[in-house]
Amino acid sequence: MESHPVMWEITYLPNLNLPKFTKQYRVEQSFFEFLGKNYQVEIVGMEQELWAIAAPPDAAQYLRVSEGNPILKIHRKYHTNRE
C-alpha cells in the first residue's frame, strides 16, 4: 500500500518564556506533553473553526491531490494556564 500524507499541520506558538524551545522540541514527541513537562504549560481549553476549501497549490502538492480539490481546513486556538 502506498503511503502518503493525509494531514498537514502548521502550528504557531509565541516564543515567550520558553527558553531553548526550538533546540529541545522534536517532531516525534507529543507537543502538548513536551510543553507540560518542560515548561509547565497546560492546555485548559480550545476554540475550533472548520472550513471546506479548494486546495491551494502548496497543500495540493503536499497532500497529493489536485489543486482545487476540496480539503478540510481547521483553525484551532488553544487556551493555556498562561497568558
Side-chain angles (χ1 to χ4, degrees):
M1 180 176 176
E2 183 180 334
S3 90
H4 61 278
V6 295
M7 185 177 122
W8 179 19
E9 180 177 345
I10 300 171
T11 303
Y12 298 94
L13 177 72
N15 193 10
L16 303 173
N17 299 318
L18 302 174
K20 299 182 183 176
F21 175 84
T22 56
K23 291 184 181 184
Q24 294 180 37
Y25 178 69
R26 299 290 171 254
V27 173
E28 300 83 26
Q29 298 173 277
S30 164
F31 182 66
F32 298 121
E33 283 182 33
F34 175 81
L35 286 176
K37 269 187 201 173
N38 293 280
Y39 299 102
Q40 295 69 53
V41 174
E42 303 296 331
I43 305 302
V44 296
M46 183 209 23
E47 297 171 35
Q48 178 171 281
E49 298 177 17
L50 301 131
W51 299 271
I53 65 167
D58 55 347
Q61 181 178 6
Y62 184 79
L63 295 171
R64 298 182 190 172
V65 298
S66 297
E67 188 176 329
N69 274 12
I71 61 172
L72 180 64
K73 178 178 181 175
I74 303 172
H75 178 257
R76 291 183 178 156
K77 181 177 181 178
Y78 293 97
H79 303 280
T80 70
N81 60 335
R82 291 196 187 174
E83 288 186 30

